[in-house]
Amino acid sequence: MMVCEWKTFSTDSETYTLETFEEAVGDEFEAMYFKENEEVPAYIWTINYVVIVKRYSKVLNDILFEKIPRNPVVNNKYTNLEESFIFSLLCEKFHKFTPRENTSR
């Protein structure tokens, strides 16, 4: 499930709020993806990265973040604009079909 608003999640060692996540990654949140029946996201999009959330322990519920650059340098000057536009359309379409919580950022 794609979510365009932050949902706080926890592991055995830490609770990740919007502020703690952005501080840990050093970038601004945009969206997150949860696999079915999972409480911890599988992927988190920031302005500059796609963050893969990896579990690193089979015994404990602990995670690490792997940052993959979203916008590698390319010759097409419109690539970043097009990607941002498509992403905003997806979030807008998603919100039309799902109830939104009244949260302020």
Side-chain angles (χ1 to χ4, degrees):
M1 166 178 66
M2 180 83 145
V3 181
C4 295
E5 292 182 9
W6 182 262
K7 291 178 102 177
T8 298
F9 60 94
S10 297
T11 64
D12 289 340
S13 61
E14 187 158 357
T15 297
Y16 291 93
T17 64
L18 176 62
E19 293 77 22
T20 57
F21 171 78
E22 288 181 342
E23 185 177 316
V25 174
D27 204 7
E28 203 174 314
F29 167 80
E30 284 198 332
M32 56 197 340
Y33 175 79
F34 290 86
K35 291 183 179 178
E36 194 171 318
N37 299 322
E38 293 286 330
E39 294 183 18
V40 174
Y43 306 100
I44 302 173
W45 285 264
T46 68
I47 290 175
N48 296 300
Y49 301 99
V50 174
V51 180
I52 301 171
V53 182
K54 294 185 170 186
R55 295 181 191 269
Y56 70 86
S57 174
K58 292 183 180 186
V59 178
L60 300 173
N61 181 20
D62 280 328
I63 59 172
L64 59 87
F65 298 125
E66 180 180 350
K67 297 184 335 183
I68 309 296
R70 277 181 69 174
N71 302 316
V73 177
V74 293
N75 292 333
N76 182 352
K77 66 180 179 181
Y78 299 106
T79 302
N80 295 347
L81 178 62
E82 289 170 355
E83 181 184 62
S84 297
F85 178 72
I86 291 168
F87 183 77
S88 65
L89 286 177
L90 286 172
C91 285
E92 184 178 313
K93 188 171 188 171
F94 176 77
H95 283 301
K96 286 181 183 177
F97 298 105
T98 58
R100 290 181 73 179
E101 295 178 20
N102 187 10
T103 58
S104 59
R105 192 168 166 196

